[in-house]
Amino acid sequence: MGIISMLGSLTGCKATEQSGEFRSVPVDEFEKVISDPAVVRLDVRTAGEYAEGHLAEAPCIDVLNNDFEERAREVLPQGKTIALYCRSGNRSKKAAQILAAAGYDVVELESGYNGWTAAGKPVTREETDVFLSPSGTMVKMCCIKHGSLRIQFGDKWVYVDPVGKAIPPVTDYSLLPKADVILVTHEHHDHLDKDAIAAISKQGTILITNPRSSELLGGVGQVLKNADETEVLGLSVKAVPAYNNSVDKQQFHPKGRDNGYILDFEGFRVYIAGDTEDIEEMNTIKDVDVAFLPCNLPFTMNVNQLDHAARMVNPKVLFPYHYGTTDIIQAVELLKNTDIDVRIRQYQ
């Protein structure tokens, strides 16, 4: 008997999707459910509550918002078990009923986040966003910090510029899932970290870098130059230019040395710009679902350049990243009259 079936028997409740029934379980049983990597976690509290701490890899969709069901349907794959929680177990029951009636198999944490933390279970502040590829595969994006992020596509993990100690807060990569693919944009200390790469590597991990980073790592990894393409584990990767075009900044990121990357997950396209300004090549980058664009002086873009770059690429969702002390809310204001969904995460 599988975990989900077993829990249904223990709680005496079987999911009846048409009637909005769901399984409500205590902390230890909920922990068993989410130990299955195929189970999708979901936080249904407010954004403010979520920011204070949440279960790892759980995105947030506030059940009190009028568009809760619509947003859930856009990002939660059918055929997967949804394990959700709120603060104390009240709002989550409302959310569970809505999703069960919409056809999802739902497990709800009866005592909520308060019960989870009271039991001493682990939490995090790492923010997670989820999307669906055109084929219905979930794409999960987890914010680590600065220029470091991790993306889950199906059961594969892709890390971009993993850095541990060089940028605060210190990240212990030994606690994170092992990488199937690691991408390095360039060799600066806040993007290339040998120890972090070692900590998330396993047998079969594929490392992709620009030429100079490979040299510094002892010649390991698959090297991509600007315009080179490859396909690994069902993921298409194209290296694109990333450089400074301002006369007084070209020493930071000279043209032709560093990479940005365009990733294609079954038609779901992600542009990771790396350290760059609003270069002319961005005009050729089209049909992007999600873009990561840097915004910190003097090394990359100011907010006006970010605005220009975003309008050239025109992604559906934009994550400003690598923004340091920049007042990044200015970018939200500049782009508020566009169709771009600008999402601010902890990418200082």
Side-chain angles (χ1 to χ4, degrees):
M1 179 180 291
I3 289 175
I4 302 300
S5 299
M6 177 181 69
L7 294 180
S9 298
L10 289 173
T11 59
C13 176
K14 295 182 179 179
T16 304
E17 295 166 351
Q18 290 79 4
S19 63
E21 293 185 11
F22 54 89
R23 293 183 290 279
S24 185
V25 301
V27 168
D28 288 344
E29 293 175 16
F30 192 82
E31 186 174 40
K32 291 176 183 177
V33 171
I34 65 173
S35 67
D36 181 350
V39 171
V40 180
R41 308 174 188 190
L42 179 63
D43 188 313
V44 300
R45 300 175 299 161
T46 66
E49 291 172 307
Y50 180 80
E52 293 175 357
H54 48 269
L55 275 65
E57 297 169 23
C60 179
I61 307 177
D62 187 349
V63 68
L64 299 182
N65 287 342
N66 292 332
D67 62 350
F68 170 75
E69 183 176 348
E70 178 183 354
R71 290 188 58 204
R73 285 178 179 273
E74 288 176 351
V75 299
L76 300 178
Q78 288 284 355
K80 299 285 188 180
T81 296
I82 311 300
L84 58 81
Y85 64 92
C86 67
R87 182 180 60 189
S88 60
N90 293 321
R91 285 170 288 172
S92 57
K93 290 176 175 58
K94 175 182 178 181
Q97 186 172 30
I98 292 171
L99 294 184
Y104 292 94
D105 177 41
V106 183
V107 178
E108 180 255 352
L109 177 58
E110 63 182 7
S111 59
Y113 184 78
N114 289 347
W116 181 266
T117 55
K121 302 301 182 181
V123 297
T124 184
R125 295 184 67 183
E126 180 189 68
E127 297 150 315
T128 297
D129 290 83
V130 294
F131 305 89
L132 290 181
S133 74
S135 61
T137 301
M138 188 167 68
V139 182
K140 184 186 298 181
M141 298 187 177
C142 301
C143 167
I144 299 177
K145 60 187 177 186
H146 194 61
S148 303
L149 61 138
R150 57 193 181 107
I151 304 172
Q152 186 180 31
F153 173 64
D155 61 352
K156 302 292 190 297
W157 279 104
V158 178
Y159 283 75
V160 180
D161 288 348
V163 170
K165 298 178 181 178
I167 297 294
V170 173
T171 303
D172 185 352
Y173 283 91
S174 69
L175 302 177
L176 299 180
K178 297 299 183 183
D180 296 285
V181 180
I182 302 172
L183 302 173
V184 176
T185 60
H186 66 290
E187 69 268 23
H188 287 170
H189 75 285
D190 56 339
H191 294 264
L192 176 62
D193 183 335
K194 295 180 181 179
D195 292 338
I197 290 172
I200 54 174
S201 294
K202 62 181 180 181
Q203 185 71 31
T205 295
I206 298 168
L207 174 65
I208 298 174
T209 78
N210 69 317
R212 180 58 179 153
S213 294
S214 178
E215 291 175 11
L216 293 173
L217 291 169
V220 301
Q222 181 176 348
V223 174
L224 295 185
K225 303 184 297 296
N226 291 176
D228 286 349
E229 300 181 50
T230 189
E231 184 165 331
V232 293
L233 305 178
L235 168 68
S236 295
V237 182
K238 180 177 181 178
V240 295
Y243 62 91
N244 289 110
N245 54 7
S246 297
V247 173
D248 60 340
K249 297 181 184 179
Q250 293 177 19
Q251 72 274 21
F252 298 131
H253 307 98
K255 187 174 184 178
R257 187 192 67 183
D258 304 342
N259 288 341
Y261 293 105
I262 298 175
L263 313 180
D264 191 314
F265 303 89
E266 294 179 354
F268 186 88
R269 286 166 54 80
V270 180
Y271 172 40
I272 299 164
D275 278 11
T276 186
E277 288 185 82
D278 50 340
I279 56 178
E280 61 182 356
E281 290 88 346
M282 289 180 179
N283 275 311
T284 66
I285 298 173
K286 304 299 181 185
D287 302 319
V288 171
D289 293 287
V290 174
F292 290 84
L293 298 177
C295 187
N296 70 322
L297 294 175
F299 307 106
T300 63
M301 295 187 273
N302 60 36
V303 290
N304 291 313
Q305 289 176 301
L306 176 65
D307 174 61
H308 181 224
R311 291 172 189 270
M312 282 192 285
V313 176
N314 194 32
K316 294 176 183 175
V317 176
L318 168 64
F319 292 101
Y321 82 144
H322 196 299
Y323 58 79
T325 58
T326 300
D327 180 6
I328 203 62
I329 299 302
Q330 293 180 45
V332 179
E333 287 299 309
L334 288 171
L335 292 164
K336 67 181 180 181
N337 293 322
T338 70
D339 292 330
I340 300 171
D341 179 1
V342 184
R343 302 186 186 181
I344 306 302
R345 302 294 182 254
Q346 298 302 311
Y347 282 112
Q348 289 92 333

